Amino acid sequence: MPRVVDHARRRAEIAEALWRVVRRDGITATSVRGVAAEAGTSPSALRHYFTTQDELLGFALRTLIERVASRLAPELPGLEGRDGALRILGEVLPMDEERRAEVEVYLAFVARSTTDPALRAVRDDVDEATRAAVAYALQLLERAGELGAGRSAAAEADRTYPLVDGLAVHGTLWPERYPPAHLRRVLEHHLDELSTALSS
Amino acid sequence: MPRVVDHARRRAEIAEALWRVVRRDGITATSVRGVAAEAGTSPSALRHYFTTQDELLGFALRTLIERVASRLAPELPGLEGRDGALRILGEVLPMDEERRAEVEVYLAFVARSTTDPALRAVRDDVDEATRAAVAYALQLLERAGELGAGRSAAAEADRTYPLVDGLAVHGTLWPERYPPAHLRRVLEHHLDELSTALSS
DNA sequence: CTCTTTTTCGCACAGTCGTACTACCAAAGG
DNA sequence: CCTTTGGTAGTACGACTGTGCGAAAAAGAG
């Protein structure tokens, strides 16, 4: 066997290089040559790991999603009550620079995914997974009795999901106007509200 | 005087052609040649109205925003109470195909605006204007006594704005999963909530 | 008619894109 | 040592990009 290289690790490194290029130049100006330069290699070497650009883009997006998911998944079984719900909902929010970068890259991919079927499929999965995560957070509240009388976990999830997504977008696009403290305050205010009884 | 052409109208037509191209091919694949073909002219003729591509993109985005704003502005003074608030908040939501198209194009521009200073400025203005519109809607509720006791119009605006924006994004990206009826139901549920007293 | 001016068209230039192809290089097995 | 093979680099090709330039067309003024 010749020169051994960790294939999976190399692909992941290239994906991370792509994220940096997308953040710096935008997804429109993200080229195979640019990513190769950022990763410190040549376009030809890059093509050894990804035969086509679409494959590279798809892998980079899927890796990004998996990174977020794998950060939340392991501790998910141990979560309970309001703190657990906050932990879940807060994971999507850009509370630090790392997560802000992730959302920023993701937003660029979302725009592209409207006209790219492969990316579109990933986008649909992300929506499904996020919605499920929010629904689970609401169930944690309900189970802990932190959901006010007369409230439906499903109905409140329908409202909480777009709220959290909207907060994530705002916090990512305008971090000065909507800093982490603001996001947290709005989210906590919302959870406070959910704990009160719903008077018809 | 030679062949007279309504300059402003022609520019608007070209902008609309650009919107169609962005929806069809994505903003990444939106080229001067493509827009010219969609508008039924040549790239050279197009260049007579927009000397550079950045100028074309900026004008198209600004025109899109003005279109939404001019639809809401005239009837804004006459709006009152819950119906008025619903009217304002509903304007941003993709309740019909036309508005869904607008939001879709806008989302494409948002992605681009992260790396384009001129578009970025417009994006910042849109955030400011939308936030002000939501705040105004909340004031309408407050003035009509439809804001529950103990509630602050400002604090509820902080929560309502990302909610509406999130609903708009969801309804645009996944119109089958989040159809107009769903958006309206979630929004009304939220307004119902705002009319109740806030128990500390 | 001619002249003038706005609009349009065709062509060309330099640059970048994705990707195919070929040669080279390094390291492990014999 | 040599051979084999995964990885890398260079180069090239055709297509497409934004944009500049010069000529043609078209219509009102004289």
Side-chain angles (χ1 to χ4, degrees):
Chain A
M1 287 230 188
R3 186 169 181 188
V4 69
V5 170
D6 189 332
H7 210 79
R9 176 160 203 84
R10 197 89 187 86
R11 282 168 65 99
E13 285 173 6
I14 294 172
E16 289 172 18
L18 184 137
W19 300 342
R20 291 193 296 272
V21 174
V22 168
R23 278 200 77 188
R24 175 163 35 87
D25 305 334
I27 200 167
T28 298
T30 297
S31 66
V32 174
R33 285 174 173 84
V35 175
E38 176 67 29
T41 60
S42 66
S44 321
L46 200 148
R47 230 175 86 74
H48 195 87
Y49 297 92
F50 303 96
T51 57
T52 176
Q53 183 179 232
D54 286 342
E55 188 188 336
L56 168 58
L57 253 59
F59 178 81
L61 175 56
R62 260 178 279 117
T63 304
L64 183 75
I65 302 307
E66 281 171 15
R67 183 161 135 174
V68 177
S70 67
R71 196 163 45 206
L72 187 59
E75 56 174 314
L76 214 141
L79 296 179
E80 274 181 29
R82 182 190 166 106
D83 287 344
L86 257 176
R87 177 73 188 81
I88 294 175
L89 301 177
E91 181 59 43
V92 185
L93 263 43
M95 300 302 289
D96 53 37
E97 192 54 33
E98 183 190 3
R99 263 170 295 186
R100 202 180 81 82
E102 289 171 354
V103 179
E104 195 172 321
V105 173
Y106 177 67
L107 288 181
F109 271 102
V110 164
R112 178 99 170 202
S113 67
T114 302
T115 48
D116 184 321
L119 299 183
R120 168 75 194 245
V122 179
R123 186 183 87 180
D124 294 347
D125 289 348
V126 171
D127 171 57
E128 192 65 41
T130 311
R131 190 161 56 132
V134 173
Y136 185 74
L138 265 292
Q139 284 172 18
L140 287 186
L141 288 179
E142 188 177 39
R143 214 174 299 161
E146 307 233 25
L147 202 58
R151 290 188 188 273
S152 143
E156 298 303 340
D158 283 346
R159 190 162 58 122
T160 305
Y161 172 35
L163 170 64
V164 170
D165 248 20
L167 279 176
V169 171
H170 289 179
T172 300
L173 296 182
W174 302 281
E176 331 80 27
R177 295 183 186 178
Y178 312 108
H182 174 87
L183 307 180
R184 176 153 220 100
R185 192 168 50 77
V186 174
L187 182 57
E188 296 219 2
H189 174 221
H190 182 68
L191 291 192
D192 289 344
E193 172 104 22
L194 293 184
S195 67
T196 67
L198 178 62
S199 51
S200 61
Chain B
M1 286 230 185
R3 185 170 181 189
V4 68
V5 169
D6 189 334
H7 209 80
R9 177 161 202 84
R10 197 88 188 86
R11 282 167 65 97
E13 285 174 7
I14 294 171
E16 288 172 20
L18 184 137
W19 301 341
R20 291 193 295 273
V21 174
V22 167
R23 277 202 80 190
R24 176 162 37 86
D25 306 333
I27 200 165
T28 298
T30 296
S31 64
V32 174
R33 284 172 173 84
V35 174
E38 176 68 29
T41 61
S42 66
S44 319
L46 198 147
R47 231 174 84 73
H48 197 249
Y49 298 92
F50 303 96
T51 57
T52 176
Q53 183 181 231
D54 285 342
E55 188 189 338
L56 169 58
L57 253 57
F59 177 81
L61 175 56
R62 259 178 279 118
T63 304
L64 184 74
I65 302 307
E66 281 171 17
R67 182 162 136 175
V68 177
S70 67
R71 197 162 46 206
L72 187 58
E75 56 172 315
L76 213 141
L79 296 179
E80 277 180 26
R82 182 190 166 107
D83 287 343
L86 256 176
R87 177 72 189 80
I88 295 175
L89 301 178
E91 181 59 45
V92 185
L93 263 43
M95 299 303 288
D96 52 37
E97 191 54 33
E98 182 190 4
R99 266 170 294 187
R100 201 179 82 80
E102 289 172 353
V103 179
E104 195 171 322
V105 173
Y106 176 68
L107 288 181
F109 271 101
V110 165
R112 180 99 169 201
S113 67
T114 302
T115 49
D116 184 321
L119 299 183
R120 169 73 194 244
V122 180
R123 186 183 86 181
D124 293 348
D125 290 347
V126 171
D127 171 57
E128 192 66 39
T130 311
R131 192 161 54 130
V134 173
Y136 185 73
L138 265 292
Q139 285 172 18
L140 287 187
L141 288 179
E142 188 177 37
R143 214 173 299 162
E146 306 233 24
L147 203 58
R151 291 189 187 272
S152 143
E156 297 304 340
D158 284 346
R159 190 162 57 123
T160 305
Y161 172 34
L163 170 64
V164 170
D165 247 20
L167 279 176
V169 171
H170 289 180
T172 301
L173 296 181
W174 301 281
E176 331 81 28
R177 294 183 186 178
Y178 312 108
H182 174 87
L183 306 179
R184 177 153 219 101
R185 192 169 51 75
V186 173
L187 182 57
E188 297 220 1
H189 173 222
H190 182 67
L191 291 191
D192 288 343
E193 172 103 22
L194 293 183
S195 69
T196 68
L198 180 61
S199 51
S200 59

